[in-house]
Amino acid sequence: MSTDTAVRPSSGYHRVLGAAASSAVGDGMRFAALPLLSTAVLDDAFQVSAVTAATTVPWLLFALPAGAYADRFERRLLMVLADLLRAAVLVLTVLLLAADRLTFWPLLTSAFLLGVGEVLFDCASFALLPSVVPKDRLESANGRLFAVQTVGRDLLGQVVGGVLFTVGRAVPLVIDAVSFLASALLLRGVRGPVPESGPESGPAAEPGPAAGKPRLLADIREGVAFVLRDPLLRALTVSAGVINAVYLGQIAVFVILVREVLELPDAAYGALLAAGAVGGVVGGAVAGRLSKAVGRVPALVGNLALMGAAGLAVAATDRVPVVAVAYGVTGFALMVWNVVAVSLRQTIIPDRMLGRATGVYRLFAWGTMPLGALVFGRVSASAGPRAAFALGGVVTLLTCLPIAYALLRDSRATDRRKTTEDAP
């Protein structure tokens, strides 16, 4: 079968893409509506911030177990269950809101469970993708997936969610629930690999009387050890943690830069954020072609350098057009980095380890983000937001050195290493 046949609109990939688009729009609406809803029904500022934080806590708690389950169960089914969980939580939240019983603890629980569903869905989806896309199309497929998620979540979803909340508090939550049900229906037609070992005899199971016992902790340990002992995977994982910490740290102080340094109105802040999202969409659209044209090593290292340079440019200017372009460049470079790095990981990691390796990667990549916000917030408070952007630019440029070394040393061996790991 040709590669073109493998990616027709009726193929598994396009169903996964459609499901991701549906979920992303719903997530964007929830991201906009949940803080507004919290502010409307709660009187305590700490409680409002706790509800917002509750959606990200599951990445720290469940990224590793979710990755292990993505290797032990059928990934498509896990994604469907995650969609149904989130739809049920949203329906229950709407019912509590209608009955005027949506207090702090139910809202906190709902936010937490929605985060759990997101962790399960994401770990399973990135592990499933290589089985429905030809190897030579992974970067293009990931680019489309990231671009669709960025448009749906960061542009369309958040704008629509804020508008719909003014129509009715429950409206964005209801549509979000419908988006998850639509995603689940699309995924029903996807046929991915079924693990050879079930939940009671995972990949790490050993022969003998103990083989029938749950092996979740052993599976998690195997996944962590697999990533840590591989120099290239280790470098990609640590780099992702640094990059995301810098990016969220800069996001955290960007509003201060816009309002206090550039002295712009709040509407300009939203427009500049949109410039970053637009850059991300363009990066997702061209990442595959760019990687094939210049190679993975220049694409990864070059876009790291581009992110660092953009941060330094923001720190060095008070001209709004320069800041807008630099922020768009940051979004572009971050998206290309993500697409190429994820595709490289999917290429070199054997299928039986994809879920766990994704869980480890996401734990580091997302777990460092709150730390970045705190560090950059402290720098901004003591030396100003420009100093925070300058720090981010320098740290990102320094990250180029170890990742370039790891890529130049190991990139030629990726196919050989995957063949070795997959061998019985």
Side-chain angles (χ1 to χ4, degrees), residues 342-365:
V342 167
S343 301
L344 178 57
R345 289 173 49 251
Q346 290 169 335
T347 300
I348 68 178
I349 298 171
D351 183 77
R352 70 181 185 86
M353 296 293 300
L354 268 173
R356 283 167 285 176
T358 299
V360 175
Y361 186 83
R362 284 301 182 98
L363 176 65
F364 278 89

Side-chain angles (χ1 to χ4, degrees), residues 1 10 19 41 55 87 104 154 158 203 210 218 355:
M1 181 173 60
S10 59
V41 302
T55 60
F104 172 63
D154 298 337
Q158 293 197 40

Side-chain angles (χ1 to χ4, degrees), residues 242-243 245-247 249-250 304 307-312 315 376 379 385-399:
V242 173
I243 293 165
V246 169
Y247 183 69
Q250 291 177 337
L304 271 180
M307 278 185 269
L312 293 176
F376 279 69
V379 172
R386 282 179 170 169
F389 272 87
L391 172 64
V394 171
V395 169
T396 304
L397 289 174
L398 291 176
T399 306

Side-chain angles (χ1 to χ4, degrees), residues 47-64:
Q47 290 182 347
V48 172
S49 62
V51 169
T52 302
T55 60
T56 61
V57 169
W59 279 107
L60 294 174
L61 298 180
F62 301 120
L64 295 180

